[in-house]
Amino acid sequence: MKYTVNEKGFYGNFGGAYIPEMLYPNVEELKEKYLQIIQDRAFQDEFRSLLKDYVGRPTPLYHAKRLSEKFNTTIYLKREDLCHTGAHKINNTLGQILLAKRLGKKRIIAETGAGQHGVATATVCALMGYDCIVYMGEVDMERQKSNVERMKMLGAQVIPAKSGSRTLKDATNEAIRDWINNPVDTHYIIGSVVGPHPYPDMVARFQSVISDEVKKQLMEKTGKENPDYVIACVGGGSNAAGAFYHFLDNEKVKLIAVEAAGKGVDSGYSAATTYLGKPGIIHGSKTLLMQTEDGQVVEPHSISAGLDYPGIGPIHAHLFESGRAKFFSITDEEAFKAGVMLSRLEGIIPALESAHAIAVLENLNIKKSDVVVLNLSGRGDKDLMTYITKKDEFLKD
Amino acid sequence: METKTKVNNRITQLFQQKKAGVLNIYFTAGFPNLEDTAQIIKSLEVAGADMVEIGMPFSDPLADGPTIQQSNEAALRNGMNMKKLFEQLKDIRKEVKIPLLLMGYLNPVMQYGVEDFCKKANELGVDGIILPDLPIEEYIETYKGLFESYNLSNIFLVAPNTSAERLKKIDQNSSGFIYIVSTDSTTGNTKDITQAEGYFKKIQSSGLNNPTLIGFNINDHKSFNFACNYANGAIIGSAFIKALKEAKELKGSISNFVSSIKKS
Ligand SMILES: Cc1ncc(COP(=O)(O)O)c(C=O)c1O
């Protein structure tokens, strides 16, 4: 279990809880109670039953034949895009709302980048009758307009984050500030494996349903439960953590994490954290962080709002440092083209985040006999405007 | 068990002489203009502040409300950074006698190097450090000996929901003073601090070894006086930043601001 969190809240050199005292009692309460609550039988029953009947799990493990043919190997897509609300995010928000209920909280706050986590949070709040406030960077509200409207329709209040780069990092700052101001009645549903301990571990556990299902489904389909590769994109890293989780200790399974290179890793417009980052502290956690020499956080760039984050979850910083996972980065253009390719080959329009994971297939030396599981974290409906407006730039040839 | 610290600096000395009505003022270095730092500190001393917190600007000040967020952003835009700040403070002790603290977030300090940072702070004549996101457990395990060897007081925050047990732990590992956060809030909020009387009284009667200053949402003579009833003094940040923002001439505005707080 050397890749899961230790009793002090660290993954190797990364993790911890670097938070001001005003948040300490909240985070401590979570830390004391989260394992007991989520391991409780009644909690598990309710969680499993809603994952099945409300989210639509298990999501299919689909043998993508035309894609496999193109890369001369065997590729399975884990269809998280078929989850209710269109991405893996709801696995976590459902778990956390059930936890919030048991903690006696009355009000839910969340941050969102692409809007997928915001929609998934607004959805479970509607389901459970909770007030929901979602912070979203002003820039992201513009490029993910349809998700803003979805959140509002679900009854959530969307508050624009107007500081800094006005994207995911700033939305997260605003959500944390809200929590500081409302520590007693509010639960903060973080959307990825980031933030102070125990959030990264808690979110990873809720997302681990992905690899739990993959193991069983792969056994049924191929007679063995371990693939040769698991591939996932990494913004904060929750879909990757969930897809890797049950394979972490089996070193024969190659774990491939894909970051957003933006306009190129050295272009100054990138979100490739493991390439550009150094150890630092962001949102309460010690991890790899894109920053200046003076320790100021650098504004990232990616075509996909969900990967536009200057850090990564501490579990991924550890997987990178230990070499357990291999990290690649994919440019805006490569991701865009991979998104179009998957649409044409398989009839599946992927989220631009997930398109980064598809694009990396070009860069791996996959053997014909290998079995590859690629986590298709979300569907591309929310990205249609970007697919339309960037078409001339990226598909000229 | 009482842990005596070896720290003896201008902060500990101040509280030996002055037990009530201590006024500590925060400002962000590099705001309104890059080169205002020394002038602001000197003017605060002349105006009658007892202590000054020099804010080291950070891109992501999590515990701060809009006023201090904006002063941080502006300071960074003006070109402030740690090295620049330390240059500006090079000769500050030739003129200024009151205690000086550096306040900021852990990440820039980590990148500078914690030991180098402490060494430099000591050389410049800084007495205390406030890093709200440095956990006390990590401080005790990794940094306490270092801070004390450079005669620096590390100042911890206490909040309304801090348990009695944790308060004791903080007290045992503090020197200088303990920073009592007035209400559950980020800085510069408008929550009424008179609501917090019960919490202030509880802390006042808990027999702490260290002096206390109440901060967050203290913005005028009335709230300053109220806070001083329950602690050795109080800290003002956002209200002072607002005054600086509107100031036509620094020295006079600072003098007026401090008088407006202390007027009897
Ligand atoms: C479809 C999709 N995939 C991936 C991500 C990135 O998040 P994470 O790295 O936590 O999986 C997002 C975030 O919004 C998303 O919407």
Side-chain angles (χ1 to χ4, degrees):
Chain A
M1 295 305 273
K2 63 184 184 193
Y3 300 110
T4 43
V5 81
N6 70 20
E7 67 289 345
K8 286 186 162 174
F10 277 82
Y11 300 86
N13 296 317
F14 303 106
Y18 297 83
I19 45 169
E21 183 65 22
M22 295 78 89
L23 284 181
Y24 181 86
N26 273 16
V27 171
E28 187 65 13
E29 179 189 25
L30 260 188
K31 193 179 104 187
E32 291 298 317
K33 295 184 178 164
Y34 83 109
L35 283 179
Q36 194 193 335
I37 291 177
I38 69 182
Q39 285 166 355
D40 174 64
R41 180 68 179 273
F43 178 95
Q44 279 298 325
D45 287 349
E46 191 177 2
F47 185 44
R48 297 284 150 195
S49 134
L50 283 167
L51 282 177
K52 177 167 178 284
D53 298 328
Y54 188 72
V55 175
R57 303 205 71 93
T59 57
L61 186 71
Y62 163 67
H63 182 194
K65 292 206 183 63
R66 300 222 310 140
L67 187 70
S68 299
E69 221 167 82
K70 181 173 165 71
F71 291 97
N72 198 24
T73 186
T74 304
I75 301 170
Y76 287 91
L77 300 178
K78 179 59 173 164
R79 298 290 308 275
E80 293 302 296
D81 61 313
L82 293 178
C83 286
H84 178 43
T85 70
H88 67 291
K89 297 283 180 186
I90 196 162
N91 302 327
N92 168 44
T93 60
L94 188 60
Q96 286 205 49
I97 196 90
L98 297 178
L99 182 103
K101 201 168 88 179
R102 282 163 176 80
L103 290 171
K105 303 289 179 178
K106 301 277 176 281
R107 176 176 174 270
I108 297 295
I109 55 173
E111 87 295 341
T112 196
Q116 287 305 106
H117 175 62
V119 168
T121 304
T123 298
V124 297
C125 285
L127 178 70
M128 297 289 165
Y130 271 80
D131 285 343
C132 178
I133 289 122
V134 180
Y135 291 90
M136 187 169 188
E138 232 177 10
V139 169
D140 292 337
M141 286 180 74
E142 188 54 38
R143 60 179 164 175
Q144 310 278 203
K145 257 189 195 151
S146 62
N147 272 344
V148 175
E149 293 310 316
R150 285 167 83 195
M151 286 185 267
K152 288 183 182 163
M153 183 153 175
L154 291 159
Q157 187 188 350
V158 183
I159 302 182
K162 297 183 176 186
S163 57
S165 54
R166 294 171 293 135
T167 60
L168 180 54
K169 143 181 114 69
D170 311 284
T172 309
N173 288 341
E174 288 306 322
I176 293 174
R177 289 182 185 121
D178 180 312
W179 209 22
I180 289 174
N181 283 288
N182 301 283
V184 179
D185 65 337
T186 299
H187 177 68
Y188 175 22
I189 300 191
I190 278 188
S192 192
V193 286
V194 301
H197 177 65
Y199 274 107
D201 183 51
M202 182 169 75
V203 176
R205 283 169 188 264
F206 289 141
Q207 291 293 359
S208 71
V209 65
I210 298 172
S211 49
D212 188 41
E213 289 174 5
V214 166
K215 269 180 117 91
K216 290 176 196 144
Q217 291 168 320
L218 208 58
M219 185 62 151
E220 267 170 36
K221 286 179 198 295
T222 68
K224 57 176 201 171
E225 61 173 15
N226 294 318
D228 297 289
Y229 288 89
V230 180
I231 304 175
C233 66
V234 173
S238 66
N239 88 87
F244 294 169
Y245 200 86
H246 292 284
F247 303 113
L248 287 170
D249 290 329
N250 185 341
E251 312 252 350
K252 284 201 198 98
V253 180
K254 300 183 190 72
L255 306 178
I256 306 294
V258 188
E259 295 181 300
K263 298 182 180 178
V265 283
D266 295 314
S267 66
Y269 296 90
S270 178
T273 304
T274 57
Y275 183 80
L276 296 167
K278 284 181 300 181
I281 288 163
I282 184 167
H283 300 139
S285 165
K286 186 182 280 178
T287 187
L288 291 171
L289 173 63
M290 290 168 54
Q291 54 185 313
T292 66
E293 217 175 286
D294 194 42
Q296 308 299 338
V297 181
V298 162
E299 297 177 6
H301 166 87
S302 169
I303 191 174
S304 71
L307 304 184
D308 206 349
Y309 186 70
I312 46 171
I315 184 174
H316 294 294
H318 181 51
L319 291 175
F320 173 74
E321 196 180 68
S322 64
R324 176 67 189 94
K326 288 266 170 303
F327 281 70
F328 290 81
S329 56
I330 290 296
T331 63
D332 291 349
E333 180 168 353
E334 290 165 336
F336 188 98
K337 286 179 168 159
V340 174
M341 174 186 73
L342 190 74
S343 307
R344 307 262 162 98
L345 281 180
E346 298 288 349
I348 298 171
I349 301 176
L352 278 167
E353 290 81 8
S354 323
H356 286 72
I358 297 155
V360 88
L361 288 167
E362 302 270 5
N363 304 349
L364 301 174
N365 270 323
I366 304 172
K367 294 200 298 278
K368 187 166 172 46
S369 58
D370 284 338
V371 172
V372 177
V373 170
L374 191 153
N375 197 41
L376 199 72
S377 56
R379 67 178 87 130
D381 305 26
K382 70 181 174 63
D383 294 315
L384 213 56
M385 269 324 286
T386 312
Y387 276 124
I388 294 165
T389 53
K390 294 278 179 182
K391 198 168 71 191
D392 292 341
E393 184 181 341
F394 290 143
L395 294 184
K396 40 191 182 283
D397 34 312
Chain B
M1 188 193 70
E2 190 176 315
T3 326
K4 280 266 179 272
T5 83
K6 300 178 282 289
V7 174
N8 175 11
N9 56 28
R10 292 176 198 81
I11 305 174
T12 56
Q13 286 154 19
L14 171 71
F15 283 109
Q16 278 158 22
Q17 289 150 19
K18 187 162 179 175
K19 310 273 183 209
V22 169
L23 173 62
N24 178 358
I25 293 196
Y26 165 93
F27 77 101
T28 309
F31 176 86
N33 302 298
L34 181 61
E35 301 295 345
D36 287 340
T37 311
Q39 179 65 57
I40 291 174
I41 298 170
K42 286 179 213 165
S43 302
L44 279 169
E45 175 170 57
V46 171
D50 297 298
M51 203 185 294
V52 176
E53 283 174 23
I54 306 162
M56 305 175 283
F58 183 47
S59 54
D60 295 76
L62 272 188
D64 288 299
T67 302
I68 294 182
Q69 282 171 44
Q70 282 156 21
S71 65
N72 275 256
E73 271 183 42
L76 291 173
R77 245 186 285 119
N78 290 342
M80 184 49 81
N81 59 45
M82 205 83 92
K83 288 200 181 96
K84 179 89 204 157
L85 175 60
F86 290 160
E87 268 165 42
Q88 292 176 344
L89 296 176
K90 198 162 47 88
D91 294 322
I92 200 73
R93 279 301 174 203
K94 289 189 178 147
E95 291 182 61
V96 173
K97 300 280 173 287
I98 56 174
L100 296 176
L101 297 99
L102 289 169
M103 162 144 198
Y105 290 82
L106 183 54
N107 195 53
V109 173
M110 247 175 80
Q111 303 312 318
Y112 192 89
V114 180
E115 167 128 42
D116 288 347
F117 175 81
C118 289
K119 187 160 175 265
K120 192 75 196 175
N122 172 273
E123 274 170 27
L124 294 169
V126 167
D127 307 285
I129 308 292
I130 310 179
L131 300 168
D133 56 349
L134 170 61
I136 186 163
E137 293 74 21
E138 184 156 327
Y139 173 73
I140 294 169
E141 216 168 274
T142 316
Y143 301 123
K144 191 175 177 199
L146 186 66
F147 277 57
E148 291 182 357
S149 73
Y150 286 105
N151 207 23
L152 294 167
S153 295
N154 188 56
I155 309 299
F156 287 100
L157 273 54
V158 163
N161 293 308
T162 301
S163 68
E165 194 188 346
R166 192 166 163 85
L167 178 61
K168 206 165 147 195
K169 182 172 175 179
I170 288 170
D171 189 37
Q172 281 168 355
N173 291 286
S174 293
S175 67
F177 66 92
I178 294 174
Y179 193 135
I180 312 292
V181 176
S182 67
T183 52
D184 287 319
S185 78
T186 41
T187 55
N189 199 292
T190 50
K191 283 185 186 172
D192 178 8
I193 67 158
T194 60
Q195 306 280 325
E197 191 174 8
Y199 151 61
F200 294 158
K201 281 185 170 161
K202 200 176 74 196
I203 289 184
Q204 202 176 20
S205 62
S206 58
L208 298 178
N209 296 317
N210 287 280
T212 54
L213 295 179
I214 296 176
F216 284 40
N217 314 339
I218 314 273
N219 51 18
D220 56 11
H221 174 67
K222 193 163 152 248
S223 49
F224 177 71
N225 261 11
F226 181 80
C228 286
N229 291 328
Y230 307 97
N232 302 86
I235 305 167
I236 299 186
S238 298
F240 182 63
I241 299 290
K242 279 185 189 152
L244 286 180
K245 207 159 137 186
E246 285 153 20
K248 297 218 169 53
E249 183 266 323
L250 279 181
K251 203 166 172 218
S253 304
I254 290 172
S255 168
N256 288 342
F257 182 83
V258 173
S259 312
S260 78
I261 301 296
K262 291 179 71 158
K263 74 169 180 229
S264 43

